[in-house]
Amino acid sequence: MSDVRTRVVGFLASQLIGPVGGPDEVLRDPPDQRYSIGVLFPLDSDHGVVAKEEIDDDQAGSYADTLTDDPIALANQRMPSSLGISFFVAGGTGIACRVSGAAYGEDRVDKRRQFTRAPIAEADAPDVVNLGWSADLPSEATVLNGRAIARLHVRPLGDGRLVSVTICNTRRAGGQGRPSPSDCLYQVGLSCTPLGGGRLAEYPRLEFLSADDEEEELFLAYRNKRVFAIGHGCAAAWEADGPTASSVRADLLPATEVPNLAPTGAESLDILDLHRLAAPDVDPAWLERGCNALIDGYAAWITSLEGRIDYPPALQGARDRVVAKLRNAQERMRVGVDLLVADPVAREAFRLANRAMLIQMHRAKEVARVGVPLGKGDPSAPDYAVLAGRRWFPFQLAFVLLVLPSLRDGNATDRDLVDLLWFPTGGGKTEAYLLAASFVIFLRRLEHGNAGAGTAVITRYTLRLLTTQQFQRAAALACASEWMRQQDPERLGSIPIDIGLWVGGDAFPNRYVDAKAWLDNVIDGASEDVLPVEHCPWCGTNL
């Protein structure tokens, strides 16, 4: 992990878990509102509300009692009273538990509330208690000056024991409403090591637990990633060497470094060249050869998987299902290639879509990347001489070949399937989706002219920031497509190709009268400019 990344993770931990101001910090805001992770609330802070609202009156008492008695269930409440970890122990007599945490005392200074941190047991000097399944070790013990209980749950399993250790706040919430911040515990930590020669082995998988098809396939994919613990109300981490771990711990802010992936393909695959795919004289025979060469590489990779035996016998069924899915994707791509060769309308829509994407990439990255003053933008048509050299990544073209038959035919066999690209941020997923969207737009225009206008594609994003970013990129494609329509209205219709953004009124005015008032305020400097597009995606002019 790089130094910069380490500092960023440390900063996030201090802001979300605390203490920001050091071991003796003083806060003006209540600490249970300042920190959102690693807080254990008093018992009955939250689940009582659930019992009243969601459980019949004659069942509410028993339901609440069940939650109170089960610290693992309490870890999953909105205001959790406990956190814990579960792991597998072979042999041994018990577990040594190291527990840390702090409290905040409330007082008033100059008539203002303030909260002073009171360390109970810091991470470098934790409370240590031994819990076990032998007669001379207890199954629970008080920790953190009596403010919490460490509990041990043991279930025999195979040649060992499935062990759960939980830390539970012992105080109870008084009355209704949010509990007192001084009754909560903060920066709670827990780590465990085996006693009596015990070994922390891998957490049980298929050998002991039932699994559905998806779980089995996940086990197959991640069979070389050892898991030694799971968390309740937290994540789990461990110190491990090979098949055993020396300790496991609760991880309040899990972090991992995702390796870089290279989506580029072989330079010999000229089918990935956007300039050639967008050419007016694109050759169907060249399309067929190039696309099938791409799919041949995918098929060879599948064959290499079929020859591997480095997986447990229990995962044979999962392996067969995964390979069958891969072979099905391979055949769907072949059908997409056949469609482009045999269907001139689909082929022309595909060519126009590639041309629109080529123009969009050029305008977005070279022309309209930075906003320029009014009248200084570049509205000129693209120079195709400078557009050469742009290439698809193999997975992008493969994805579009996969979905083309379903986009072309409303009765296609795979029409009801949702095909999802799974790739790290920045890898090129959006361009692949936009190519598929562009294909639909041009296909409708080629087949139906003006009757093919209107809403052709709907995209939905769950985050407002992501919505804005993706809208900007889709707007560049809309501009490129509209420029192309203007060059050939006889084939592509006289109705413009446009784009709209449907968002809530909190993000942008939804009525013309409100938009006019907002615009007047922006011009007068009384309101902040919140336009989802800051400059024209075609010419770069500031809006």
Side-chain angles (χ1 to χ4, degrees), residues 291-373:
C291 290
N292 279 325
L294 173 67
I295 301 170
D296 288 344
Y298 182 65
W301 173 71
I302 300 174
T303 301
S304 70
L305 295 181
E306 291 175 324
R308 293 177 61 171
I309 58 173
D310 57 334
Y311 55 87
L315 294 177
Q316 178 67 42
R319 175 263 189 196
D320 293 342
R321 290 194 301 272
V322 169
V323 170
K325 290 177 182 179
L326 297 176
R327 289 297 185 191
N328 180 59
Q330 170 194 327
E331 291 309 311
R332 289 177 61 194
M333 291 181 214
R334 303 281 192 197
V335 174
V337 176
D338 294 341
L339 174 68
L340 291 179
V341 175
D343 187 337
V345 177
R347 183 169 64 251
E348 179 64 3
F350 179 72
R351 185 190 72 80
L352 293 174
N354 276 277
R355 187 184 185 200
M357 288 301 299
L358 190 62
I359 297 172
Q360 176 263 341
M361 292 178 183
H362 172 66
R363 304 300 297 192
K365 297 179 181 179
E366 305 297 337
V367 179
R369 181 176 53 186
V370 179
V372 297

Side-chain angles (χ1 to χ4, degrees), residues 202-247:
E202 281 191 78
Y203 197 79
R205 293 191 180 187
L206 292 178
E207 292 80 2
F208 305 111
L209 304 178
S210 62
D212 59 22
D213 288 353
E214 183 180 15
E215 286 177 318
E216 286 187 350
E217 291 162 19
L218 287 172
F219 288 146
L220 176 66
Y222 296 100
R223 63 192 180 279
N224 295 324
K225 299 292 184 181
R226 299 181 187 275
V227 175
F228 291 95
I230 61 172
H232 309 286
C234 60
W238 46 81
E239 300 297 331
D241 182 17
T244 60
S246 57
S247 66

